[in-house]
Amino acid sequence: MPTPDYRDPNLPAEERVEDLLSRMTLAEKAGQLFHTPLTMNEDGTLDEGGGSLPHFTTALVTDGHLTHVHLVGRYGVRETAEWVNRLQALAADTRLGIPVTLSTAPRHSCADQRGASFAGGPFSAWPEPPGLAAIGDAELVERFGDTVRREYLAVGLRVAVHPAVRAGHDLATGHGGADLCGTFGSSAELTGELVRAYVRGLQGPRLGPRSVAAMFTHVPGGDRPLAPAEAAADAGCSRLMAHPARPTRTGTGHGDGEPAGVDFGVVGPGPGFDFGPGPGFGFGFGFGFGFGRDTPTGPLPERPGFDGIVCTAPGLLTGPAIPDGPHGERGADHLSLAERVARALDAGADQFGGEGCPEVVLELVRSDRISEERVDASVRRLLREKFRLGLFERRYVDPDRAEETVGAAEFTALGATAQRRSLTILTNHSLLPLTDRPNLYVDGVGAQTASLYGNVVADPAHADVAVLRLRTPHGERPDHAEPFRPGGSPASPTSPASGEERLREILALLDAVPTLVCVTLERPAVLPEIASRAAALVADYGASDTALLDVAFGRARAEGRLPFELRGPTAAMEESAPNVPNTTGTPLFPYGHGLEI
């Protein structure tokens, strides 16, 4: 039997796509439209049930025909590589042998934000994206992207569900401040520059066999700045993910009673988006950024086409219908699951993130609600990415090589340097740099690490200096609907000291002994009392104790500048426009603030 054309690496990708598409059943096509989370067993074997997710790996691949998987959890390098090979072998044994495209959330953060990154693992540790924005060095960000690419490739991860820009309106604080986690800060101009650099680092000049495909999340719509999305498209970003939320400003409504919104505009069912005005491709709208349709204007100027993949945010279809959930307040709680799927496909979605219900697509096509040609249009884009990534020729990885590459000394050193550079000195009342070997009282800092710099004491009364590390708090979300988002109200910033009792303890320490306070700004925080009483205040965005103490003792230079403004007491919140960043009249610390020592 002759080798089918889609397996011939010498043919153009488009020819291979068409040949493979012509051989696929409707069920096999429907499976491509779902990007489903999976866990693995700790020993690298396939998870067949009993884990934290409801999906059974073999059934998902062989019966559901899914070939796009998002790896959830933190595992050993060799075990991950072996799991990838087992999963790819399972896919290779299916009728058409379509390889699996594996994605991941960020895994290179020094911070430990639950659900958004996997800290303390084997990958090299870098500051969170706000820290890279604090440095503001596009060349460094491109090198970071290249490091991520090389480490991901080693274990078989081929799609990065990042970089992120979430709400995109007033990204400072107060209005959408919680949405800054994992982004490049509140400046649309700087974000656009760094997004371009990051995509270049991940993908190279074009998507190819040595690339990791970038998924730009969460693309804003409505009245929010779109320069970062334009930058991602300009850089050739392979995927875009719509923001799951409902817009803050919708129109007065259509004649059918549906609220108005804003589209990105898709040109017909065929390949190629033009980002131009027109109906069809909705990143958002009265129904939320995944369900919009039939709206009169697009938010981006007319431009050459984005021909990549549009993926919905996780939970858009099946998340809990609650006020802060993906299809409650966001406008689709009254729709059936089938109608949600149809609406999103009508709006231009190619793939459903975090979902696994291909049988619904089969139902929609068989009932003529969605045409098979519409499904084919999205499957073409999804298959084309697989061919461009070279997955049909190189689906397996070498576990020995993976162990040599992930966390290599070169990458670890680059990340450690970036951590130090990103630190931002907000105040310094003649405390820094520290000298000699002072008696140190530490809270939130490892005593063993601190002992390399001074004499650690158990009682602040015996200390010359105290070093206190605080985190921007995360409230537990009882619905668990959006695990990648920190707790706390998105409408107001939070204090790094959660609870009045803890705040009193902190202020008592600051009054008792000269104290260096370091606040991890995963998102903006309000800290006027601490700022006024600390002998020195430093912001970090994911940095080790060693990085902080190296800067404190003058062994390394902090270069960070605030990537968003920090406001004063909450009474000042109403002073700024809700959709314009960095416009508070009298911020506690303005955007770009940072001291030299």
Side-chain angles (χ1 to χ4, degrees), residues 4 60-61 64 84 97 122 138 165 184 217 263 289 291 302 310 341 356 410 446 476 517 534:
L60 202 71
V61 174
V84 166
V165 167
F184 288 120
T217 70
D263 275 330
F289 291 157
F291 295 118
E302 192 166 347
V310 176
V341 173
E410 172 192 359
E476 291 298 322
V517 178

Side-chain angles (χ1 to χ4, degrees), residues 441 460-461 463-466 468 502-517 528-536:
Y441 173 79
D464 300 311
V465 176
L468 171 64
R502 176 57 175 156
L503 180 57
R504 284 194 294 271
E505 291 174 357
I506 291 169
L507 297 180
L509 175 65
L510 304 190
D511 291 340
V513 60
T515 303
L516 163 61
V517 178
E529 301 99 332
I530 293 173
S532 65
R533 300 196 201 182

